Structure formats: C-alpha cells, structure tokens
C-alpha cells in the first residue's frame, strides 16, 4: 500500500542482458510532499532517507527518484529491498510534526 492507500507503482526497465533498473519514478517523495511533508527541508530528514537508502542498497537520484539495479539473478532480493525502502520512506508521513 502506498501513502494514500493506493498501489505502489514500480517501473522496471531492462537496460541490458545483465542490468535491470527498478524505479518509483519519484512518486514516493512527491507523495510525501503532497501530504504536507517536505522531506528535503531539513538535514535530519535527508539523513534519514540516506540511512534508509544505505540500509536497503538503493539510491535517491537528484530528481528525488528511488532506484536500484539488479543483475537478474538477485532480482527477488532487490525487489524486496526496494519495496521495503519505499515503505520506510513513506512512513516519514507518520513521523513528522508538520501536521
């Protein structure tokens, strides 16, 4: 379930025979912003997102997109980590005092 109790969309792109890209297309951080949580406003929030990224082996692009790469053999593990990272980052909506 996404932040608004909707489906989490994951975009999968096969870039080569040994490289598969998983992306949220920036929706996770955008949904937080739309719900009133500006996650990039404070250093503490940026640090939390970076900690989640490090824990799950994902990256946050400069366009605020959550991404990870798979070689195919590790696809199931990468997908699980990717979903867990999105869930953890989405949980920031419950941790904020902005509301």
């Amino acid at each position: 379930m996404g932040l608004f109790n909707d489906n989490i969309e994951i975009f999968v792109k096969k870039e080569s025979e040994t490289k598969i890209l998983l992306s949220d297309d920036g929706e996770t951080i955008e949904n937080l912003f739309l719900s009133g949580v500006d996650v990039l406003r404070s250093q503490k929030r940026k640090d939390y997102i970076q900690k989640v990224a490090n824990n799950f082996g994902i990256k946050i692009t400069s366009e605020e997109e959550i991404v990870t790469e798979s070689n195919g053999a590790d696809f199931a593990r990468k997908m699980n980590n990717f979903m867990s990272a999105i869930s953890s980052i989405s949980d920031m909506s419950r941790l904020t005092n902005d509301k």
Side-chain angles (χ1 to χ4, degrees):
M1 278 294 161
L3 182 61
F4 300 120
N5 290 322
D6 57 351
N7 293 327
I8 296 173
E9 289 185 278
I10 298 174
F11 299 88
V12 180
K13 180 180 180 184
K14 186 173 184 177
E15 302 218 320
S16 72
E17 287 300 314
T18 59
K19 184 177 176 184
I20 302 169
L21 180 70
L22 302 171
S23 169
D24 79 332
D25 201 33
E27 290 187 11
T28 303
I29 293 176
E30 178 66 19
N31 285 345
L32 283 168
F33 182 78
L34 291 173
S35 70
V37 181
D38 186 356
V39 297
L40 302 178
R41 185 186 73 178
S42 76
Q43 189 60 45
K44 189 173 183 179
R45 291 175 183 171
K46 290 178 192 176
D47 292 345
Y48 177 80
I49 288 178
Q50 191 56 53
K51 181 179 175 182
V52 169
N54 293 341
N55 285 343
F56 291 107
I58 61 156
K59 296 176 186 169
I60 310 295
T61 69
S62 58
E63 294 84 25
E64 301 174 3
E65 184 177 0
I66 300 171
V67 297
T68 193
E69 292 179 3
S70 168
N71 62 20
D74 64 352
F75 186 80
R77 181 177 57 83
K78 290 285 190 163
M79 177 63 84
N80 185 56
N81 286 352
F82 190 73
M83 293 295 297
S84 296
I86 288 174
S87 179
S88 293
I89 291 171
S90 292
D91 283 347
M92 291 180 76
S93 68
R94 295 181 185 97
L95 301 174
T96 185
N97 292 326
D98 288 352
K99 295 182 179 180

